[in-house]
Amino acid sequence: MTKRFNDDWKPQTRLVHGGTLRSSFGETSEALYLTQGFVYETAEAAEARFKGEDPGFIYSRYANPTVDMFESRMGALEEAEDARATASGMAAVAAALLCSVKAGDHVVAARALFGSCRWIVETLMPRYGIETTLVDGTRMEAWEEAVRKNTKLFFLESPTNPTLEICDIASIAKLADSIGARLVVDNVFATPLLQKPLELGAHVVVYSATKHIDGQGRCLGGVVLSDKEWIDENLHDYFRHTGPSLSPFNAWTLLKGLETLPMRVRQQMESAAHVADYLADHPKVERVIYPGRPDHPQADLVKRQMKGGSTLVCLDIKGGKQGAFAFSNALEIIRISNNLGDAKSLITHPATTTHKNLSEEARLEAGIQQGTLRLSLGLEDTEDLLKDIEQALATV
Ligand SMILES: *Cc1c(COP(=O)(O)O)cnc(C)c1O
């Protein structure tokens, strides 16, 4: 990415103007460079470009002006030295993890992971001779006990999916530093606005831009952010030669998404807080987990580490699977879907969808009961959402 923002700009300004690369036409909105390649005036110019003497673009698998604007805007928001955009969140996670280790290395990861992330750690990495250990990421001692001589990488998500547990990023980063390992944080559930892993000491942060960054359910995307040296030495060649590149069209969509990210996250968080309070007092609800509430099991850590609760709420409904299904089916505004961070409020039953591949034991270990539901708040009017929830609970 190329840095294009003023250091004294606040986040909201960075999200509107950061990364903008105007063409000679002076367009207001970012231009969409839907091109595979670039032409050179002369053979000498091509030679210079390939030698790195001239910084222009070569091929859109390597870099593209619209994609570069997205990377630069994300870098401006995250205050990261460098960024690479990817075709999906999973491409970003895979790149960040695989470029951090080699055969013979050991990885420690928090066990409450997004299903595909867990597959990379648990199934894919061992195939290439990388040892892995999954731990309860909320227990600092578990990270310490899992460390081996060859531990090179820590990986976690916080808040976790779907039970919104919190890992202590600063302490885990400190432990990583003390053994010469690196910490990769998947920051999707927090969004770049509510938590800054790099500031807390993490070495790499990854996003599925598919979620809040697009925020309107249109396209997939991802991004890896870190220091320039690590990206140059570890990610650069992998990225160029394996081709997880983001389409310029999707980069353009995501750029426009970033402009409204703070307003959307604020509104969704406000609804989430209201809904969490409403559910916590409801007789048909057994448990509510919301990082913004004082009864969250790690409320102190939330305060230290995050700038707000979350746009998601986790709840256990009475009556197990039957209760959860009856409630979900009765909802009229909130739709059943496995996605999150969308303008539309979405409800998920993890035990039968996103987490169906876990054994019963692993599922319970992750705090997922048959009555557990994950609710992602959208941009609808909060009162309409509360009414919808009220009428649906009445049918359970
Ligand atoms: C959705 C998600 C991913 C994967 O992102 P895609 O864009 O769907 O590939 C990874 N991690 C977390 C926490 C997610 O929510």
Side-chain angles (χ1 to χ4, degrees):
M1 83 178 209
T2 314
K3 185 183 159 181
R4 280 181 234 103
F5 63 94
N6 291 358
D7 284 320
D8 59 354
W9 285 351
K10 295 208 164 42
Q12 207 147 320
T13 309
R14 292 176 185 217
L15 283 169
V16 177
H17 293 288
T20 302
L21 175 67
R22 260 192 194 97
S23 82
S24 56
F25 295 114
E27 63 281 351
T28 314
S29 173
E30 295 71 13
L32 171 49
Y33 293 94
L34 208 48
T35 180
Q36 297 167 342
F38 304 84
V39 296
Y40 314 95
E41 283 304 318
T42 60
E44 288 78 6
E47 184 183 31
R49 194 75 52 92
F50 272 76
K51 271 189 181 163
E53 290 166 355
D54 165 21
F57 294 93
I58 294 175
Y59 188 53
S60 285
R61 171 152 40 79
Y62 295 3
N64 167 282
T66 311
V67 176
D68 189 77
M69 283 192 256
F70 171 65
E71 291 171 341
S72 182
R73 192 165 288 178
M74 279 304 304
L77 175 63
E78 206 70 40
E79 307 203 42
E81 284 176 10
D82 208 354
R84 288 287 185 284
T86 55
S88 69
M90 283 322 304
V93 172
L97 297 184
L98 296 174
C99 294
S100 297
V101 286
K102 57 180 186 331
D105 288 346
H106 175 237
V107 179
V108 183
R111 123 180 9 118
L113 292 178
F114 183 76
S116 300
C117 298
R118 186 155 168 160
W119 182 84
I120 292 180
V121 172
E122 218 178 7
T123 307
L124 183 67
M125 291 183 116
R127 281 186 201 161
Y128 296 93
I130 298 151
E131 300 169 29
T132 65
T133 306
L134 292 173
V135 298
D136 173 355
T138 62
R139 285 181 53 239
M140 202 50 222
E141 315 85 71
W143 292 93
E144 285 158 4
E145 284 159 14
V147 167
R148 299 181 192 165
K149 272 206 199 84
N150 54 343
T151 303
K152 289 285 152 51
L153 176 66
F154 289 165
F155 176 49
L156 63 88
E157 295 171 21
S158 185
T160 61
N161 177 26
T163 53
L164 308 177
E165 290 177 336
I166 314 292
C167 300
D168 184 343
I169 295 175
S171 299
I172 296 162
K174 209 186 257 175
L175 177 64
D177 283 333
S178 76
I179 59 160
R182 289 176 65 87
L183 169 61
V184 175
V185 174
D186 179 334
N187 206 37
V188 166
F189 272 56
T191 81
L193 295 164
L194 303 181
Q195 179 169 277
K196 293 261 180 282
L198 297 178
E199 234 170 62
L200 292 163
H203 305 92
V204 183
V205 59
V206 292
Y207 287 100
S208 163
T210 312
K211 310 296 165 55
H212 304 82
I213 293 174
D214 173 24
Q216 291 158 80
R218 298 165 297 192
C219 63
L220 302 184
V223 61
V224 185
L225 301 113
S226 187
D227 56 275
K228 192 166 176 344
E229 186 183 336
W230 182 79
I231 290 203
D232 281 349
E233 284 177 13
N234 296 281
L235 195 68
H236 183 78
D237 287 344
Y238 169 93
F239 188 84
R240 282 190 163 204
H241 305 308
T242 67
S245 1
L246 179 65
S247 130
F249 184 84
N250 288 357
W252 182 84
T253 311
L254 298 171
L255 264 168
K256 304 316 282 178
L258 283 176
E259 293 182 343
T260 56
L261 181 68
M263 303 162 74
R264 289 185 284 106
V265 169
R266 209 180 301 133
Q267 170 67 27
Q268 291 170 331
M269 208 168 63
E270 208 177 286
S271 280
H274 280 299
V275 165
D277 289 345
Y278 173 79
L279 290 170
D281 291 333
H282 201 285
K284 288 184 180 165
V285 176
E286 214 156 74
R287 177 180 71 148
V288 168
I289 312 169
Y290 182 65
R293 276 176 61 84
D295 62 358
H296 187 279
Q298 297 149 292
D300 287 343
L301 180 55
V302 171
K303 266 201 198 122
R304 258 186 287 141
Q305 180 166 301
M306 299 181 70
K307 292 192 186 77
S310 166
T311 65
L312 293 115
V313 177
C314 180
L315 65 137
D316 287 342
I317 213 153
K318 287 185 183 158
K321 179 178 168 183
Q322 209 182 346
F325 273 32
F327 173 64
S328 305
N329 290 339
L331 289 165
E332 287 168 1
I333 296 173
I334 300 167
R335 309 308 304 169
I336 300 168
S337 176
N338 44 282
N339 210 354
L340 62 102
D342 200 281
K344 294 174 173 62
S345 292
L346 303 172
I347 195 148
T348 312
H349 185 246
T352 52
T353 61
T354 53
H355 291 71
K356 77 163 181 25
N357 289 338
L358 291 186
S359 66
E360 181 73 12
E361 191 195 351
R363 205 154 52 224
L364 291 174
E365 216 170 47
I368 303 163
Q369 321 268 350
Q370 286 300 326
T372 302
L373 289 164
R374 185 190 76 193
L375 177 56
S376 168
L377 280 305
L379 297 176
E380 304 92 340
D381 188 280
T382 310
E383 272 183 36
D384 285 343
L385 292 173
L386 286 168
K387 258 197 276 179
D388 194 27
I389 290 166
E390 187 178 9
Q391 64 80 21
L393 277 172
T395 68
V396 175

